[in-house]
Amino acid sequence: MQLFDVAIVGGGPAGSSCAAFCAAASLRTVVLDREKFPREKVCGDCLNPSCWPVLERLELAGRVRHLPHSKLFSVEFIAIDGRKVIVDLPLGSDCEISVKRSLFDDLLLRRARELGVDVHEQTTVTGLSRNDHWKIETASGQTFHARMLIAADGRNSTVAHLCNLLPRPERERVALQAHVPRPRDFDDRIVLQFLPEGYSGQAPVNDTQLNLCLVGTPPTISTLRNWAERQFDLPANQSWRTITPMTRSSVPSAHGNLFFIGDAARVVEPFTGEGIYYALRSGELAANAIAKILRGDDRNPVLREFGRAYAQMYRGRLWINRLSRAAVLRPQLGSFFVHTARVNPSILKLLTAKIVSSTNRHFGRSEA
Ligand SMILES: Cc1cc2nc3c(=O)[nH]c(=O)nc-3n(C[C@H](O)[C@H](O)[C@H](O)COP(=O)(O)OP(=O)(O)OC[C@H]3O[C@@H](n4cnc5c(N)ncnc54)[C@H](O)[C@@H]3O)c2cc1C
């Protein structure tokens, strides 16, 4: 029987980042993911500038910049009545970019493999048990053993479900996403558009493709899809990826020898496009804490330090997320914001600057 130090369920940004940092700390690490990479994922594909410091520590920033991507120079908010307000984004090498998740996630997982992580794709975790270590069972009948378990398996976390920790979704909404032909006049910007039935996010991911996301409720999503077909001249048989829920209560991140990271721990409203950053950074923080615990440091102070660093990651940002959730749940309210910002753009500029600034650099280098 091979006993790993760390088993990670999920090889998205949270799982891959955690795995890479664990392997860099000489921990025997295994990642199990049900998909075969590269795979697409329902996402707006936008990388918040806060990601860059973590990517630098993973020695991946250069390689991410070499992936096909678009640099995003502004955000255009569009109210229900079509009125617009445009807010500039920071420029420079650490600017916001959009890159397809198939490319980005594959690069991260390959980096973990390069550092010595044992990666098993097309491996779906279905069962868990624990005595002096974790025993992890998969759909194909394989068994893995590890001292520490990390749940990085996204918003509908199987690990949380198996541990009876998965919260009920707060308000049932659904997202659709597709890569569609980039309209000729669509320049390098993000569009966030309020619609009577929900909202749409749009961002070019390269010279020819546009990421198109629609968020609504199950009864309204087909109206949004019809709107998108007309707006972007899409065929009626356009294929869409889908995901739900958009929000739910959080799962506490540390439970003894079990950690939850990324979306498995906390699902944030996608409107502000920060989920990948939280996934990468929480993966790093968990890896730091686990390395200390496994090399014999006193567990309680390590977990307290982890808890502080984890809370710090969200500090000053969650209220913006709540505000954006209020705006998208009532698109009339969102439109009111756009109208107000046309008269006084400073509020929207301030909120946008808070979301896309890389101020996380100052704590980005701290150890958990
Ligand atoms: C509509 C929408 C738009 C968004 N736009 C943005 C954006 O522009 N920018 C941004 O930063 N964030 C955005 N997000 C959020 C972002 O997509 C997530 O926060 C991010 O993917 C979280 O990463 P993760 O690694 O925690 O989980 P995921 O990326 O969900 O990865 C989880 C992995 O776990 C695997 N898995 C699941 N169950 C099992 C199992 N039982 N066994 C084995 N493997 C399993 C899955 O195959 C998957 O690879 C958006 C979200 C939505 C819904």
Side-chain angles (χ1 to χ4, degrees), residues 127-261:
L128 289 175
S129 55
R130 200 189 147 198
N131 36 47
D132 60 329
H133 65 263
W134 287 97
K135 183 175 164 203
I136 302 136
E137 288 160 30
T138 73
S140 58
Q142 286 170 290
T143 307
F144 295 86
H145 302 265
R147 297 163 73 192
M148 290 278 183
L149 177 65
I150 310 284
D153 50 350
R155 59 191 62 214
N156 295 305
S157 169
T158 303
V159 175
H161 178 66
L162 292 170
C163 298
N164 287 323
L165 291 168
L166 191 66
R168 285 167 66 86
E170 276 168 25
R171 276 186 79 157
E172 208 50 65
R173 279 177 300 150
V174 58
L176 297 183
Q177 184 252 0
H179 290 117
V180 303
R182 177 175 177 170
R184 264 223 194 109
D185 58 348
F186 204 108
D187 54 16
D188 289 337
R189 69 193 197 281
I190 303 172
V191 171
L192 291 171
Q193 182 159 8
F194 293 103
L195 296 158
E197 302 82 11
Y199 68 94
S200 166
Q202 302 140 34
V205 285
N206 53 43
D207 290 345
T208 58
Q209 289 178 299
L210 182 80
N211 179 307
L212 175 58
C213 286
L214 308 170
V215 180
T217 58
T220 62
I221 200 73
S222 58
T223 313
L224 283 171
R225 203 178 51 217
N226 294 341
W227 169 85
E229 282 167 9
R230 286 193 308 276
Q231 187 79 3
F232 294 94
D233 204 12
L234 305 179
N237 64 352
Q238 169 72 45
S239 70
W240 297 87
R241 285 172 278 277
T242 179
I243 201 168
T244 192
M246 291 307 103
T247 45
R248 63 156 165 79
S249 309
S250 55
V251 174
S253 190
H255 303 249
N257 290 342
L258 166 64
F259 285 72
F260 286 86
I261 57 175

Side-chain angles (χ1 to χ4, degrees), residues 8-17 31-37 39-48 51 96-98 101 105 120 122-126 137-138 151-159 162 174-177 190 199 203 211-215 243-246 261-280 282:
I8 301 175
V9 184
S16 292
S17 146
V31 169
L32 312 172
D33 198 293
R34 65 182 172 201
E35 301 281 346
K36 170 96 185 116
F37 286 63
R39 55 101 180 90
E40 281 306 343
K41 156 92 187 56
V42 176
C43 186
D45 292 339
C46 295
L47 273 197
N48 187 287
C51 296
E96 174 124 0
I97 66 164
S98 51
R101 289 289 299 272
D105 289 18
H120 294 252
Q122 294 176 297
T123 303
T124 304
V125 171
T126 51
E137 288 160 30
T138 73
D153 50 350
R155 59 191 62 214
N156 295 305
S157 169
T158 303
V159 175
L162 292 170
V174 58
L176 297 183
Q177 184 252 0
I190 303 172
Y199 68 94
N211 179 307
L212 175 58
C213 286
L214 308 170
V215 180
I243 201 168
T244 192
M246 291 307 103
I261 57 175
D263 276 8
R266 184 187 281 278
V267 178
V268 295
E269 178 65 44
F271 194 76
T272 55
E274 297 171 286
I276 297 171
Y277 163 66
Y278 295 132
L280 293 173
S282 61

